[in-house]
Amino acid sequence: MRTSLGPIREPALPARQSSARHLLAATALAMAALLAAAGCSTDSDDESEGGAASAPPAASPSGDPLAATVEKLLEPASSLPVPTEKLDGVAALKGKTVYYVPITQQSSQFKIIGSALTEALNSVGVSVQVCNGGANPTTISACVNQAIGANAGAVVTDAIPYGMAANALDTAQAKNIPVLITNQIIDPAHPASKTLGYVEGGGTAQLTAVADWIIVDSGGEANIVINGSTDSPSSRAYVESFQEEISTHCEDCKVTVNEISSANFPLISPSTSSAILRTPGVNYVISEFDQYLQPTLAGVQQSGKITSVKGGSGSAQLAGLQMLAAKNFLYVDAGQASTFQGWVDADAVLRLMLGTPLPEYEPVVRLFTRENVTGLNLTPEGEATGEWYGPTTFPAQFKALWGLS
């Protein structure tokens, strides 16, 4: 294979700050960033759901650093990156309430993060009020205004661009209610401050990891269609990171972006089929998020190419890993440790409330394939514990940081 193996970016590091330049004023469409699902295409006329790509994975050259990166991402972490900076004064926050506002509760990811955030904050006597953003700017603003009216200790938003509820978030900070934006890249129009913090999450790291897996798996000859969401600045930036990783490390690989939008959800299937048929030789079809999986899979079936491509996705959830285990369409899925992320968010919001600078948080990202899902506890309970990603001792580690042990 011909690949260009320059310095390898570690996919598990936080999202690149340079992506922030792509942030635009968020619109109502930004709400749908996580309401989408992944799909793939094929080159034969077989429309069975469990089709396999016609060619086996190519062997990687011995000593290939990209292959080594992928191998590392296929394994659970031996330890999770809990911050080391201790936090004093947490007892003073007892009795306060934090509002958690996810963009939507339709995704299990936000339910898991919200549950972990609640458990973590409850351990220090801080309560959590969940307010479903409903994928609607008006509803999100109403949630923030509810927090303001209740004189909340802080507001944590999840997968919501600042501009989607800018007036309400501005008002919260003006009333000295700190705001933590999670699972979004930094908005240069609203930089971090004493009352505004960001925890970017693993969006970029996940798609970068998928890109690396494809390069290695294809032997450096991948022809990829990726369903990329146009719904938010962050979702666009994640896809740009995917393209950059491919172009940097694989000169013979091609990437075609099929732009999709949750506002036009019924069009995902036909647009996927059209993108495949317009791109001869496609052998990988990638979804930005697991939430787009079913309509994109339908598009692959419509194209008649289900047996000649390998499907991939990001933001792995239980259904995606079950699909991998069943050898149905997907070959790779990248996920973020959502339970761990909930405790990270708790640490960040406690520091904001106490006026303490936030450390650099490293997301925990893992690649899942048909091979390494074997033996995993693919149940809601297994997903909630965070055991798919590594040790589950991090709650005690965070508590120790906060002076609870």
Side-chain angles (χ1 to χ4, degrees):
M1 76 178 181
R2 290 196 295 156
T3 60
S4 176
L5 293 176
I8 303 299
R9 287 198 311 277
E10 171 57 54
L13 291 177
R16 288 185 295 274
Q17 300 297 319
S18 61
S19 297
R21 68 181 184 274
H22 301 289
L23 275 170
L24 306 172
T27 65
L29 288 181
M31 63 191 179
L34 293 164
L35 295 178
C40 82
S41 70
T42 62
D43 293 331
S44 78
D45 293 330
D46 188 343
E47 295 187 358
S48 67
E49 291 186 0
S54 56
S60 298
S62 176
D64 182 344
L66 199 66
T69 296
V70 170
E71 286 299 318
K72 182 178 179 181
L73 286 164
L74 289 169
E75 298 295 328
S78 58
S79 61
L80 301 190
V82 175
T84 57
E85 299 88 340
K86 291 188 178 295
L87 183 60
D88 297 323
V90 173
L93 302 177
K94 186 174 182 179
K96 291 188 177 293
T97 299
V98 168
Y99 273 67
Y100 174 64
V101 186
I103 192 168
T104 176
Q105 287 187 299
Q106 291 181 339
S107 170
S108 64
Q109 173 179 328
F110 303 122
K111 294 178 182 178
I112 293 168
I113 292 175
S115 294
L117 176 71
T118 299
E119 179 185 353
L121 292 181
N122 284 352
S123 72
V124 296
V126 175
S127 62
V128 174
Q129 176 69 48
V130 178
C131 189
N132 183 9
N136 184 298
T138 300
T139 305
I140 292 166
S141 294
C143 286
V144 177
N145 287 329
Q146 182 181 338
I148 294 169
N151 193 28
V155 174
V156 178
T157 68
D158 205 331
I160 298 171
Y162 192 101
M164 202 170 180
N167 290 338
L169 295 173
D170 286 346
T171 300
Q173 293 179 77
K175 293 184 177 294
N176 204 34
I177 298 175
V179 172
L180 181 68
I181 308 290
T182 69
N183 279 313
Q184 289 288 284
I185 61 177
I186 294 173
D187 183 344
H190 302 278
S193 67
K194 290 183 178 180
T195 56
L196 177 62
Y198 288 86
V199 177
E200 294 186 21
T204 295
Q206 289 175 89
L207 281 191
T208 300
V210 171
D212 290 343
W213 182 89
I214 291 172
I215 295 168
V216 173
D217 183 72
S218 69
E221 297 181 352
N223 189 347
I224 307 157
V225 168
I226 180 169
N227 273 352
S229 171
T230 62
D231 294 335
S232 79
S234 289
S235 63
R236 286 181 179 272
Y238 302 154
V239 173
E240 290 167 3
S241 297
F242 176 88
Q243 292 176 282
E244 181 182 339
E245 187 74 359
I246 294 291
S247 65
T248 298
H249 299 298
C250 189
E251 61 185 36
D252 291 333
C253 294
K254 295 172 57 180
V255 178
T256 299
V257 178
N258 180 42
E259 294 189 344
I260 58 176
S261 167
S262 345
N264 295 311
F265 202 82
L267 300 181
I268 294 174
S269 293
S271 74
T272 302
S273 177
S274 295
I276 293 167
L277 295 175
R278 291 195 309 267
T279 312
V282 172
N283 54 0
Y284 294 86
V285 177
I286 308 303
S287 164
E288 186 167 4
F289 306 118
D290 260 18
Q291 291 86 355
Y292 287 117
L293 182 57
Q294 293 306 320
T296 311
L297 173 56
V300 175
Q301 293 169 328
Q302 291 169 20
S303 74
K305 307 290 184 177
I306 192 69
T307 60
S308 59
V309 301
K310 292 184 176 183
S313 186
S315 294
Q317 298 178 32
L318 177 59
L321 297 197
Q322 290 173 334
M323 184 174 287
L324 280 171
K327 294 180 168 50
N328 179 14
F329 176 63
L330 285 181
Y331 280 74
V332 66
D333 206 348
Q336 171 179 276
S338 295
T339 301
F340 176 74
Q341 199 62 40
W343 282 81
V344 165
D345 294 349
D347 184 76
V349 77
L350 289 173
R351 292 177 192 273
L352 268 181
M353 294 166 73
L354 291 169
T356 301
L358 273 58
E360 290 291 331
Y361 295 107
E362 180 183 339
V364 176
V365 168
R366 185 182 180 188
L367 283 172
F368 299 97
T369 65
R370 294 183 174 192
E371 291 73 33
N372 72 355
V373 296
T374 303
L376 292 183
N377 180 13
L378 298 182
T379 65
E381 293 74 22
E383 184 175 31
T385 64
E387 64 189 66
W388 301 343
Y389 295 89
T392 58
T393 56
F394 54 88
Q397 293 174 273
F398 277 106
K399 290 178 182 179
L401 280 184
W402 304 336
L404 301 184
S405 61

